[in-house]
C-alpha cells in the first residue's frame, strides 16, 4: 500500500532544517583538524544542499565554509600524492561552486596515480573537472573519468551490489554524466568525442533510469527496510535524469515514481520513527551528516525541464518507424505480465544497444547473399527484455557479447547454407577437413592472428570437385571459419575462463561447424528424393529423437552459445562456472533440452521457408507421418497435414520446456547467484525466441 498524501512542508521549515544542518557541518569543519574523511563528508553534504536550495537561501552561511575548507585543504595531510582523489575532488568541486579558483592539479595527480579507484571516485573527479572555469582544458581527464564510470556500469551486475551502495553510486553516475552532457550541449567541450556519448553515456544513463524505476517499492521507497536514506539517493537520481530527453520515453512512469518517492520522503519527515530525520546505515559511505543532507535535499530538489538544443536532440533521437515489428512482438505471452512501461524501456534500451552491436557484428562478419533480414533489431530487444524479467539478469557487457555472438551464429548458418548448400559428398568432406585443420593445427594456440589467411587443403586437384569455383568457395569457407573461430577462442573473457570452460567452448564450436555440414548433406538428400518422387521426399532414415538431440541441437547454435556465455560468467581461470560434477551435468542437460526446444519452435515457424529452400525440418521425419489422424492417411488437404504435424511438434516442444525447467530448478542451490540469474536470462531468450518464431518466421532468406 502507498502512504497517505502528505502536504509539502512550508518552505521556511525546510530552509530552517537546512541551515541547522549547515551550522552543524560548519562546527564540525572547524574542529575536524583537517581530517580528510570528515572534511570530505562535509563537502559532499554542503554540495547536495546547494543542489536543492537556492544559493540566496544559504548564502549567509556559505562564506564561512570558504575559509574553513581552504584552511583544511592547505594542510600537508592533503598534499600526499597518494591521497584519495575522491576526497580532494569533492573539496575542489565545492570551492569552485563557491566562487573560488581551486587548483585541479593535485586532484589530477592523485587521480592519475590511482590504480583501483572506486566507481564513486570517478564521478567526484568528473564533477570537479566539469565545474572548472575551462573544462575544455581537461578534456583528456574528462574522457578518462567518464569512460571509467561507463566501464564500471558496463561490467557490473547491479544485483550483486548492496541496495544502499548501489543507489548512491547510481545517483553519482547520473549527476556527473548529466553534467557532462550539459556542458557538451552548451559547447563547452568541443573536443569531447561524441562517439562516447552516443555509444556509452546515453545507454548508461537510460539503464540507470530503468533500474531505479524498476526497483521502487509499492510504498514509494527504494529499500527493503523502507529506509529514507536509499530513497533520497534514488529520488535525486530521478531528478537528475528528468531533463534527459530519453527519459521522456518513460515520462508517465517517471512522473509517478517521482510523486510516490517524494510522498514517502515527506511522510518520513513529518512522522519520523527515530530521533534523527532518517535511519542511517552504519556501513554506508555517507553514514553521518551527509545522510541527513541528502534526505533534506531530496524533498526540495527541483525537477528541471527537458534539455534542448540541436546537439542533445541529435544525440537522443529515437526512430519509432523502425521498431513497429518489435512493438507487435510485445503482445506475445512472454510479456503478458510485464508492465507496459518496462516493455517500452526494453524497446528503447535495445535501440540504444543497436549501434554498438551492429558495428561489432559487421566487423566480424560482413553481410552477403541475403535478400532480407529482420533479426538485427529484434535480437537486442529480446536479450534486453530477457535480462529484465522472470529473475534473469546479464551485465551490460554480457548482453552486448551475447548479441554479437548470437548474430555471428546466424551469419554462419546462412553463409554455410549459401556456400556449401550445393556441394556433393566429396566436397563436403573437404569442408570437414577444413574444420578439423582449423581446430587441430591452426588454432591450437587460441591467440593466432586472424589476419593470417589460411590455405584450404583440397582433395586431388584432378578430381571433378576441384574446379576453380569450388576451390574458390572452399578457400572462402576456410578463411571465414578461421576468422570466426579466432574471434571466439581469443575473446578476452574466454582466455580468462577456466580450462574446462574453454575446452567446452572449443568442443561445441567444432561440433557446430560439423553440424552445419551434416545439415547441408541431409537437406541435399531430402531435395534429391523430393525431386525424384511425385509424392514428396523420403523421411530421413534416423529416428527423430536421435537427430533432434545431436545434429539438430548442435546446428541450432544453442549449445555453443551456452558454452560461450559460461566462459563470460567464469569466476576465474581457476574456477569453473558450474563448480561440481552435478552442476556441470545439470547445466549440460538444461542446455541440450533448451537447444532442442529452440529447434522445434523454430521449425514450427519456418516450415514454408524450409520447403522453399530445401532445408530439413523436424516435421519431415517419419514419426510425424504416423499420427492416427494425419491428413495423408485420411485424404485431407496439405494444409491440414501441416496443421496436424505442427500440433504434434508443439507437444514435443512443451515436453522439452518442462525438462529444461526441471534442470534449472535443480541448479538453483548449486551455482552462484550471478550464474543462476544468467541461466534464467538465457532460458528467457529461448522462450521468447520460440514465441517469436511461432508468431512469424524472422530468418533472412537466401539469395539463390
Amino acid at each position: 500500500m502507498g502512504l497517505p498524501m502528505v502536504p509539502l512542508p512550508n518552505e521556511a521549515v525546510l530552509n530552517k532544517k537546512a541551515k541547522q544542518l549547515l551550522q552543524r557541518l560548519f562546527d564540525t569543519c572547524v574542529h575536524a583538524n583537517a581530517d580528510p574523511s570528515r572534511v570530505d563528508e562535509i563537502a559532499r553534504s554542503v554540495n547536495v544542499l546547494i543542489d536543492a536550495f537556492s544559493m540566496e537561501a544559504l548564502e549567509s552561511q556559505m562564506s564561512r565554509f570558504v575559509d574553513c575548507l581552504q584552511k583544511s585543504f592547505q594542510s600537508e595531510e592533503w598534499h600526499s600524492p597518494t591521497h584519495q582523489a575522491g576526497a580532494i575532488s569533492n573539496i575542489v568541486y565545492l570551492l569552485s561552486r563557491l566562487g573560488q579558483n581551486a587548483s585541479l592539479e593535485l586532484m589530477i595527480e592523485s587521480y592519475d596515480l590511482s590504480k583501483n579507484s572506486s566507481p564513486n571516485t570517478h564521478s567526484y573527479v568528473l564533477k570537479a573537472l566539469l565545474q572548472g572555469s575551462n573544462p575544455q582544458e581537461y578534456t583528456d581527464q574528462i574522457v578518462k573519468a567518464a569512460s571509467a564510470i561507463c566501464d564500471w556500469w558496463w561490467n557490473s551486475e547491479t544485483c550483486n551490489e548492496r541496495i544502499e551502495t548501489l543507489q548512491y553510486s547510481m545517483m553519482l553516475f547520473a549527476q556527473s554524466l548529466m553534467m557532462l552532457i550539459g556542458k557538451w550541449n552548451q559547447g563547452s567541450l568541443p573536443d569531447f568525442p561524441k562517439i562516447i556519448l552516443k555509444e556509452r553515456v546515453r545507454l548508461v544513463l537510460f539503464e540507470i533510469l530503468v533500474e531505479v524505476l524498476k526497483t521502487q517499492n509499492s510504498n514509494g521507497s527504494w529499500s527493503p527496510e523502507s529506509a529514507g536514506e536509499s530513497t533520497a539517493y534514488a529520488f535525486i537520481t530521478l531528478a537528475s535524469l528528468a531533463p534527459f530527453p530519453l527519459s521522456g520515453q518513460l515520462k508517465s512512469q517517471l512522473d509517478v515514481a517521482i510523486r510516490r518517492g517524494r510522498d514517502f520522503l515527506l511522510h518520513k519527515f513529518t512522522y519520523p520513527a527515530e530521533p534523527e530525520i532518517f535511519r542511517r546505515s552504519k556501513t554506508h559511505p555517507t553514514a553521518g551528516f551527509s545522510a541527513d543532507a541528502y534526505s533534506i535535499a531530496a524533498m526540495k530538489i527541483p525537477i528541471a525541464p527537458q534539455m534542448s538544443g540541436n546537439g542533445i536532440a541529435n544525440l537522443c533521437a529515437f526512430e519509432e518507424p523502425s521498431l513497429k515489428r518489435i512493438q507487435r512482438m510485445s503482445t506475445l505471452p512472454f510479456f503478458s505480465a510485464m508492465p507496459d512501461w518496462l516493455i517500452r524501456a526494453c524497446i528503447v534500451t535495445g535501440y540504444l544497444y543497436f549501434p554498438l552491436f551492429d558495428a561489432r557484428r559487421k566487423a566480424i562478419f560482413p553481410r552477403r547473399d541475403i535478400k532480407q533480414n529482420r533479426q538485427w533489431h529484434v535480437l537486442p530487444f529480446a536479450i534486453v527484455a530477457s535480462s529484465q524479467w522472470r529473475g534473469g539478469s546479464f551485465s551490460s557487457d554480457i548482453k552486448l557479447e551475447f548479441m554479437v555472438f548470437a548474430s555471428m551464429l546466424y551469419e554462419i548458418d546462412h553463409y554455410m547454407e549459401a556456400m556449401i548448400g550445393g556441394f556433393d559428398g566429396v566436397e563436403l568432406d573437404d569442408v570437414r577437413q577444413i574444420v578439423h585443420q582449423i581446430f587441430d593445427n591452426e588454432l591450437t594456440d587460441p591467440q593466432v592472428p586472424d589476419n593470417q589467411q589460411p590455405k584450404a587443403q583440397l582433395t586431388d586437384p584432378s578430381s571433378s570437385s576441384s574446379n576453380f569455383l569450388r576451390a574458390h568457395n572452399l578457400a572462402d569457407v576456410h578463411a571465414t571459419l578461421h576468422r570466426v573461430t579466432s574471434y571466439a577462442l581469443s575473446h578476452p573473457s574466454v582466455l580468462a575462463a577456466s580450462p574446462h570452460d574453454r575446452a567446452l567452448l572449443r568442443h561445441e564450436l567444432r561440433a557446430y561447424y560439423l553440424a552445419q555440414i551434416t545439415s547441408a548433406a541431409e537437406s541435399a538428400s531430402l531435395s534429391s528424393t523430393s525431386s525424384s518422387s511425385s509424392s514428396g521426399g523420403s523421411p530421413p532414415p534416423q529416428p527423430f529423437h536421435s537427430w533432434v538431440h545431436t545434429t539438430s541441437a548442435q546446428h541450432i547454435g544453442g549449445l555453443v552459445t551456452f558454452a560461450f556465455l559460461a566462459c563470460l560468467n567464469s569466476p576465474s581461470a581457476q574456477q569453473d562456472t558450474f563448480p561440481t560434477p552435478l552442476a556441470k551435468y545439470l547445466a549440460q542437460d538444461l542446455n541440450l533440452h533448451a537447444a532442442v526446444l529452440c529447434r522445434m519452435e523454430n521449425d514450427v515457424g519456418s516450415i514454408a521457408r524450409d520447403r522453399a529452400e530445401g532445408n530439413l525440418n523436424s516435421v519431415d521425419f517419419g514419426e510425424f507421418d504416423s499420427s492416427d489422424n494425419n491428413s495423408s492417411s485420411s485424404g485431407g488437404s496439405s494444409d491440414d497435414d501441416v496443421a496436424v504435424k505442427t500440433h504434434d511438434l508443439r507437444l514435443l516442444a512443451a515436453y522439452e520446456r518442462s525438462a529444461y525447467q526441471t534442470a534449472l530448478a535443480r541448479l538453483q542451490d548449486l551455482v552462484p547467484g550471478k550464474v543462476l540469474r544468467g541461466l534464467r536470462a538465457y532460458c528467457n531468450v529461448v522462450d521468447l525466441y520460440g514465441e517469436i518464431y511461432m508468431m512469424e518466421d524472422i530468418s533472412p532468406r537466401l539469395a539463390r
Side-chain angles (χ1 to χ4, degrees), residues 531-545:
S531 61
S532 63
S533 171
S534 60
S535 60
S538 300
Q542 68 187 113
F544 174 66
H545 182 276

Side-chain angles (χ1 to χ4, degrees), residues 491-531:
H491 190 284
S493 294
V494 174
L495 296 177
S498 71
H500 174 274
D501 291 343
R502 294 199 308 271
L504 180 61
L505 173 61
R506 190 182 188 92
H507 167 81
E508 295 294 359
L509 188 55
R510 185 201 296 247
Y512 173 73
Y513 293 154
L514 294 175
Q516 295 289 329
I517 301 167
T518 302
S519 178
E522 291 171 339
S523 294
S525 175
L526 180 70
S527 297
S528 65
T529 59
S530 177
S531 61

Side-chain angles (χ1 to χ4, degrees), residues 25 42 45 47 52 64 93 110 118 172 200 224 367 376 381 388 415 434 506 515 522 550 557 592 646-647 702:
L25 290 167
I42 291 165
S45 301
N47 273 320
R64 300 189 300 168
Y93 179 56
S110 178
S118 74
L172 292 178
R200 304 292 300 278
R367 197 71 178 172
W376 303 141
F381 165 69
Q388 289 282 13
Y415 168 80
I434 287 171
R506 190 182 188 92
E522 291 171 339
T550 53
L592 181 58
T646 299
H647 171 75
L702 291 174

Side-chain angles (χ1 to χ4, degrees), residues 431-439 481 510 513-514 517:
V431 181
R432 289 189 183 93
Q433 184 180 347
I434 287 171
V435 171
H436 292 306
Q437 180 177 332
I438 289 171
F439 282 88
L481 295 187
R510 185 201 296 247
Y513 293 154
L514 294 175
I517 301 167

Side-chain angles (χ1 to χ4, degrees), residues 442-443 445-454 482-483 486 490:
E442 295 168 8
L443 290 179
D445 176 3
Q447 299 206 58
V448 64
D450 61 8
N451 59 0
Q452 295 179 359
Q453 295 297 319
H482 181 280
R483 182 175 69 250
S486 180
S490 301

